[in-house]
Amino acid sequence: MAAYANVIVDISLEKLDKTFQYKIPKEWQETLHVGMQVKIPFGNRTITGYVLELTDEPEFDVTKIKPILGAAEGSVAIESQLIELAGWMRRNYGSTMNQALKTVLPIKQQTKQVQRRTVHLMAERGEAMKQLALFEAKHNAARARLLRELLAQESIDYSVVTQKLHIAASVVKGLCDMGLIRVEATTEYRNPVSHLARKDYAITLNAAQQSVVDAVMKDRANGCYQTYLLKGVTGSGKTEVYMELIAEVIEEGRQAIVLIPEIALTYQTVMRFVNRFGERVSILNSRLSAGERYDQYLRAKNGDIDIMIGPRSALFTPFAKLGLIIIDEEHENSYKSETAPRYHARETAIHRAKLCGASVVLGSATPSVESYYCAKAGQYRLLELNRRVEERPLPECEIVDLREELKNGNRSILSERLQELMEDRLQKGQQIMLFLNRRGVAGFVSCRACGYVIKCPHCDVSLSQHNNGKMVCHYCGYEEAVPKACPSCGSKYIGGFKAGTQKIEQVVRERFPGVRTLRMDFDTTRTKDSYENILQAFGNREADVLIGTQMIVKGHDFANVTLVGILAADMSLHVSDYHAAERTFQLLTQAAGRAGRGDCPGQVVIQTYDPEHFAIRTASAQDYELFYEQEINYREMMHYPPVWNMLVILLASPDEQAVAVAAQMIYDNMEQMIGRTFEIQLIGPADASISKINDIYRKVIYLKTDNYDKLIALKDATEQFALTQAVCKNVNIQFDFNPMSGF
Ligand code: ADP
Ligand code: ZN
Ligand code: ZN
């Protein structure tokens, strides 16, 4: 129970850290909480503010601190809920309150809203006609023209008046001053989907889909708002289920948020929602300007829309009566924030839903191990769609052992089997997708004589070779030319060890003369619309083969694709991260799921050097259960999440010495706090797996324990400890709970 409350009175971005301190009266000690709207004395007025923090530390002379007067009456503002959520995020993920607030509150824009102005007739008709006759007599042509038009139609757009009727602004003003007309301005919020043409919506759910919808709606009817994991194979009709649920929730007078990974937020996906819900839908994506984004928050707050679709940040849409949150492709990495607070959208959504009585639906063909674990433990309710719609079969998968290919003298990137199937599809006029799994592995440049690998001088990562003869760092953008000789031994056998998408495109074109290819990777998607353009071109059958990195595996629906080739399936297994097997399984299953979504069945070829690996075997059998069983055993044995919880402390500084000393001190302090207990594992301090980025040195300390709250306590203690250590001043310390990627 705290003695003081820090209260904010203005939630515009630049004032977020301006708080005022008040005493908490005895009778409020139990009920006051972060986010609550309260009445406070301010100068000689009484105003309302939001409680941001509860503390025992007075900020100034205690005799001068005034008490809170009471709770603000009336409806609870949506801001209260979001501030409370920010407080929860701060506690659970580690950040300052300011960072957390900036994450949840829409950023107020200085840019002007778009105004729509209309001109109306003010005077009575009789009076207006008299004036019109007068203007005509005096040859005031412009004045007469405007009055005549306004007598014919009640109001006219201001732009029509000035541009079509050619009437000067001074003339309009003159008539206003005479009290004959008036100009009305209304704020118009930009609508990012208004230009899209709608098609009719006509799909009836099948029995399996309907039973999922019924399960959720029945719970809601009973006042039960919980979290569901919808595990549905690729093409089983999950999106249709989401839309039906949304329609029912809107019927209840409530709103819905749909989270989709940014990369899958394509024209195709958005159109499905617009076709069904029209103007009541809006989107947030990184292509909107800051002003447009802010408009969407206001439209949500004003009740102009019911559905917001967007990536992670759309979770904070200020809907007053939020009833449903959907997280599609819930296993995606992008739901975890990479900056403080490093929140996970899944857990945060569940917490927001708790604050407002909403249901949460997590959907995936390949649920994260974390979510499936929760579903098995009964924390989430599991709902399944085990068949594709209209009884379309799942694609048939086969594994090709690349070591055997080499033995048989095939040195091509394309196995014999894949070439054979490609030939067949090209003849039939069907389309092919080639997926190059190169997550975490770049086309590095190395010396074949001594093995030297060329690295970025600013980051501890290898440079990637590009076609223009340059090597590029994908972390900081650094570029240099490929050297003629090895900097280490002088050998001239240095070059790109490369099976990049460009190389594959070249091989495909040589092998199948006349074939039309499209490529989607880091290089071809740098400009704003290029990603969407490539997808559309492929959808319009302007190419036979689409070659790409993991970008091509995300929820696109191409009915004419009947063959998917997965090249180097095992590459993602060699990443130093305990998620490596899970990622590999997900990537392969999702990529395979691109095949056979139309009327013709699909086929998948998985090429690998490691055909016995369980992630590859289970993915080719499309057996999620078997994969999960093996994976959860491994996590249990290694005490990894979700069985235990993990906290990574990441220390970074341009001062190599300082970061090493600080890491050791924090480690020692941690060891002392923990004492001799087997329930907490402490590992480190060690170099981060990328030990330098942009000349910033990075160290890590890992903590593992079964209890999340213990980790929060240790985080708080470490924060306090670091404040007292001079050496930590020049070191940035960040916390990451249950990290999604390696450090
Ligand atoms: P998922 O999200 O599970 O991959 P989708 O919702 O995208 O599946 O459905 C796959 C395809 O099947 C889409 O083209 C969708 O329009 C269609 N579809 C889904 N449900 C039905 C249904 N009940 N009847 C007919 N077509 C359907
Ligand atoms: Zn060398
Ligand atoms: Zn670099």
Side-chain angles (χ1 to χ4, degrees):
M1 245 158 289
Y4 308 102
N6 295 333
V7 176
I8 193 167
V9 296
D10 181 1
I11 39 179
S12 63
L13 191 68
E14 61 278 19
K15 307 239 174 79
L16 277 184
D17 40 15
K18 186 85 192 101
T19 59
F20 301 90
Q21 198 166 61
Y22 292 87
K23 227 179 259 165
I24 305 176
K26 276 237 160 45
E27 66 271 29
W28 283 99
Q29 294 254 323
E30 296 287 331
T31 43
L32 205 75
H33 62 89
V34 169
M36 199 160 155
Q37 215 176 353
V38 289
K39 282 192 286 192
I40 43 171
F42 200 78
N44 45 20
R45 294 176 296 152
T46 297
I47 60 168
T48 61
Y50 298 94
V51 176
L52 269 202
E53 252 164 330
L54 303 175
T55 175
D56 281 320
E57 312 231 329
E59 274 170 5
F60 53 101
D61 183 357
V62 292
T63 59
K64 295 209 174 117
I65 302 181
K66 295 181 194 159
I68 282 175
L69 301 176
E73 279 131 38
S75 66
V76 181
I78 178 64
E79 284 81 5
S80 283
Q81 204 188 89
L82 292 174
I83 291 169
E84 190 175 346
L85 190 62
W88 179 86
M89 287 164 72
R90 188 186 80 90
R91 182 181 130 81
N92 277 271
Y93 300 109
S95 75
T96 63
M97 191 60 189
N98 213 15
Q99 286 170 323
L101 281 174
K102 282 182 180 169
T103 307
V104 305
L105 293 175
I107 296 168
K108 205 177 255 181
Q109 285 305 310
Q110 301 305 330
T111 54
K112 268 212 201 112
Q113 306 295 334
V114 180
Q115 296 248 315
R116 183 189 150 107
R117 290 193 291 171
T118 45
V119 182
H120 298 258
L121 188 63
M122 276 284 279
E124 278 178 83
R125 288 190 73 84
E127 168 70 17
M129 306 251 260
K130 231 163 58 193
Q131 283 294 341
L132 173 60
L134 255 165
F135 291 145
E136 279 172 343
K138 286 203 257 170
H139 299 289
N140 275 332
R143 291 184 169 201
R145 195 156 64 240
L146 180 54
L147 265 197
R148 212 177 296 125
E149 288 295 329
L150 281 173
L151 279 164
Q153 55 192 87
E154 242 164 73
S155 72
I156 308 173
D157 236 48
Y158 193 89
S159 58
V160 172
V161 170
T162 53
Q163 286 160 31
K164 291 243 172 68
L165 301 177
H166 303 291
I167 291 167
S170 58
V171 172
V172 177
K173 180 153 189 314
L175 292 187
C176 281
D177 291 346
M178 292 173 71
L180 289 170
I181 63 168
R182 80 192 141 86
V183 177
E184 211 173 75
T186 46
T187 305
E188 194 160 81
Y189 300 117
R190 286 154 284 199
N191 175 352
V193 300
S194 62
H195 63 286
L196 301 178
R198 291 176 65 179
K199 274 190 289 189
D200 279 342
Y201 179 82
I203 277 185
T204 319
L205 296 190
N206 63 34
Q209 288 170 314
Q210 190 60 49
S211 74
V212 169
V213 172
D214 291 345
V216 178
M217 293 318 294
K218 203 168 156 209
D219 277 350
R220 291 180 66 86
N222 292 330
C224 168
Y225 303 98
Q226 54 170 321
T227 303
Y228 304 84
L229 176 60
L230 174 57
K231 175 169 171 278
V233 297
T234 54
S236 58
K238 294 185 288 298
T239 311
E240 298 299 331
V241 168
Y242 303 153
M243 290 199 285
E244 188 61 31
L245 283 171
I246 292 168
E248 301 222 14
V249 166
I250 291 175
E251 197 75 358
E252 294 174 2
R254 301 182 70 175
Q255 299 104 25
I257 293 172
V258 183
L259 300 187
I260 292 181
E262 168 107 31
I263 196 129
L265 191 58
T266 57
Y267 175 79
Q268 210 183 37
T269 322
V270 173
M271 273 322 290
R272 291 176 70 177
F273 285 87
V274 172
N275 282 339
R276 175 140 187 194
F277 298 104
E279 300 250 303
R280 306 298 293 175
V281 179
S282 189
I283 55 170
L284 283 176
N285 65 31
S286 57
R287 283 187 270 173
L288 298 183
S289 69
E292 285 171 320
R293 291 177 70 81
Y294 189 63
D295 277 4
Q296 304 325 306
Y297 287 118
L298 289 183
R299 294 176 76 211
K301 203 177 146 169
N302 296 342
D304 295 341
I305 53 170
D306 302 312
I307 305 162
M308 180 67 90
I309 309 175
R312 194 174 67 219
S313 58
L315 177 57
F316 307 110
T317 304
F319 280 133
K321 285 159 81 186
L322 181 63
L324 177 66
I325 304 173
I326 286 163
I327 305 186
D328 191 31
E329 310 281 356
E330 67 86 30
H331 61 276
E332 273 296 313
N333 258 3
S334 59
Y335 287 125
K336 178 89 190 260
S337 170
E338 295 284 322
T339 52
R342 292 170 181 261
Y343 68 97
H344 198 297
R346 187 197 309 130
E347 297 154 350
T348 311
I350 292 170
H351 192 74
R352 180 165 182 199
K354 230 178 245 159
L355 295 178
C356 64
S359 314
V360 178
V361 176
L362 311 171
S364 176
T366 52
S368 60
V369 170
E370 282 82 1
S371 292
Y372 204 54
Y373 186 77
C374 288
K376 292 224 151 185
Q379 241 170 297
Y380 306 160
R381 180 167 171 196
L382 183 65
L383 302 169
E384 292 185 79
L385 291 173
N386 292 320
R387 285 167 193 276
R388 283 188 163 180
V389 293
E390 304 187 323
E391 299 298 317
R392 284 171 202 151
L394 278 169
E396 223 176 84
C397 287
E398 47 190 294
I399 297 181
V400 171
D401 187 342
L402 288 173
R403 295 167 307 184
E404 292 295 318
E405 288 291 309
L406 202 63
K407 265 192 220 156
N408 298 336
N410 177 18
R411 307 176 124 245
S412 166
I413 297 167
L414 308 173
S415 63
E416 290 293 341
R417 179 62 177 151
L418 185 54
Q419 291 183 33
E420 188 184 309
L421 289 172
M422 285 176 73
E423 184 92 60
D424 173 71
R425 298 307 138 95
L426 291 173
Q427 259 166 26
K428 289 181 181 153
Q430 296 172 352
Q431 287 173 296
I432 300 162
M433 284 167 93
L434 295 181
F435 163 56
L436 177 67
N437 182 8
R438 46 183 270 163
R439 198 170 198 126
V441 186
F444 56 89
V445 178
S446 66
C447 170
R448 267 180 274 169
C450 77
Y452 181 84
V453 174
I454 298 182
K455 287 190 168 180
C456 173
H458 308 289
C459 311
D460 178 40
V461 295
S462 53
L463 295 173
S464 308
Q465 189 175 19
H466 286 226
N467 248 8
N468 57 6
K470 291 229 169 98
M471 302 178 296
V472 180
C473 172
H474 285 191
Y475 282 82
C476 74
Y478 172 86
E479 273 191 13
E480 69 175 64
V482 179
K484 300 257 184 305
C486 171
S488 173
C489 75
S491 158
K492 58 183 195 296
Y493 293 105
I494 186 153
F497 174 86
K498 206 171 110 129
T501 42
Q502 292 179 351
K503 175 78 197 227
I504 292 165
E505 187 175 38
Q506 200 185 326
V507 169
V508 169
R509 285 181 176 170
E510 278 163 18
R511 172 66 181 77
F512 303 102
V515 71
R516 298 167 307 161
T517 57
L518 272 172
R519 186 160 61 82
M520 182 142 70
D521 55 26
F522 182 79
D523 285 328
T524 61
T525 54
R526 274 201 235 188
T527 56
K528 212 174 159 191
D529 293 322
S530 46
Y531 177 76
E532 196 81 64
N533 292 343
I534 295 170
L535 290 177
Q536 275 199 25
F538 192 60
N540 294 336
R541 306 196 185 180
E542 288 165 31
D544 310 300
V545 184
L546 175 63
I547 300 158
T549 53
Q550 42 269 17
M551 289 177 193
I552 68 172
V553 310
K554 299 286 171 294
H556 317 299
D557 215 357
F558 299 117
N560 195 39
V561 172
T562 57
L563 175 63
V564 169
I566 300 171
L567 316 170
D570 42 290
M571 273 230 213
S572 50
L573 288 173
H574 310 302
V575 180
S576 60
D577 171 4
Y578 72 88
H579 290 95
E582 181 180 0
R583 291 275 162 274
T584 304
F585 177 84
Q586 284 161 351
L587 276 173
L588 300 193
T589 311
Q590 299 278 349
R594 296 307 112 213
R597 293 173 77 90
D599 296 328
C600 304
Q603 223 168 338
V604 181
V605 175
I606 299 177
Q607 301 189 163
T608 175
Y609 290 99
D610 199 354
E612 298 306 322
H613 194 284
F614 80 95
I616 290 173
R617 294 209 78 83
T618 52
S620 89
Q622 298 174 70
D623 191 340
Y624 179 87
E625 298 294 327
L626 194 57
F627 163 76
Y628 175 80
E629 247 170 63
Q630 303 200 32
E631 181 65 16
I632 202 71
N633 281 341
Y634 160 76
R635 305 271 180 105
E636 221 153 72
M637 201 167 68
M638 302 298 291
H639 292 149
Y640 280 132
V643 183
W644 275 28
N645 288 285
M646 187 165 166
L647 170 62
V648 180
I649 305 175
L650 176 68
L651 301 102
S653 172
D655 182 342
E656 193 175 5
Q657 183 74 22
V659 78
V661 173
Q664 192 60 51
M665 280 170 73
I666 286 177
Y667 178 91
D668 292 344
N669 177 256
M670 193 76 85
E671 198 171 39
Q672 224 170 24
M673 286 191 290
I674 295 169
R676 281 182 181 281
T677 157
F678 292 111
E679 273 124 60
I680 302 180
Q681 287 179 5
L682 178 63
I683 303 155
D687 280 348
S689 67
I690 300 172
S691 65
K692 184 170 76 159
I693 292 183
N694 250 329
D695 293 317
I696 305 282
Y697 295 86
R698 306 161 85 234
K699 295 242 176 225
V700 285
I701 297 168
Y702 293 92
L703 274 160
K704 287 191 279 183
T705 178
D706 57 344
N707 186 321
Y708 198 100
D709 285 329
K710 264 187 224 163
L711 290 182
I712 293 179
L714 285 168
K715 179 240 335 172
D716 290 343
T718 300
E719 258 173 345
Q720 290 305 321
F721 173 74
L723 282 179
T724 63
Q725 303 301 312
V727 65
C728 294
K729 280 221 172 68
N730 200 17
V731 177
N732 178 290
I733 301 174
Q734 287 202 34
F735 300 91
D736 194 346
F737 288 85
N738 295 335
M740 293 296 283
S741 52
F743 278 94

